[in-house]
Amino acid sequence: MARNLLLLNGPNLNLLGTREPATYGASTLADVEQAAQAQAKAAGAQLACYQSNHEGALIDRIHAARTEGVDFIVINPGGYTHTSIALRDALAGVALPFIEVHISNIYRREEFRHHSYLSAIAQGTICGLGIEGYRLAIDFALKSS
Ligand code: CA2
């Protein structure tokens, strides 16, 4: 069972709940993070949250996860999903299991969103279920060994 989880959110997800509610819903990032922390706590686990608009900062946080003893990552990489070989290399480098979450269904959107650099090395992906995707991913992580 994963005891030490990290929830990562990439660029622009700090805007959740403030704009584009038809695509991303009405909940804020703080709402998502508070719910995730409560979910982990109820299972007797720890969960740290981090959001950045900067690719290198996300990579540094992934590297730190390894030394901190994080055993599972849930990540919404935002737009870096479709561009970042460096983020993929960081996740592969720390060799921690992770789930890729997307709030929107990226396959119903523009073609450039249909490809993810991360999916092939993810334990799994969840997309199109709104912020429920985070809850499902954390539930899975909590049940994983
Ligand atoms: O559906 C998702 O969760 C995405 O990862 C969100 C990214 C997008 O580039 C991906 O293709 C799919 C964008 C995050 C932007 O978040 C906003 C939230 C509220 C208002 C504006 C942007």
Side-chain angles (χ1 to χ4, degrees), residues 67-80:
T67 50
E68 284 169 7
V70 167
D71 41 41
F72 209 108
I73 295 174
V74 173
I75 180 169
N76 182 343
Y80 290 142

Side-chain angles (χ1 to χ4, degrees), residues 73-122:
I73 295 174
V74 173
I75 180 169
N76 182 343
Y80 290 142
T81 306
H82 320 296
T83 65
S84 183
I85 295 168
L87 203 52
R88 174 188 172 133
D89 288 345
L91 286 159
V94 297
L96 291 170
F98 73 93
I99 295 178
E100 175 185 346
V101 172
H102 298 286
I103 297 166
S104 64
N105 182 347
I106 55 176
Y107 302 103
R108 284 168 82 175
R109 302 183 65 192
E110 304 95 326
E111 195 151 350
F112 64 81
R113 296 187 201 275
H114 296 183
H115 176 258
S116 165
Y117 278 103
L118 305 189
S119 295
I121 62 161

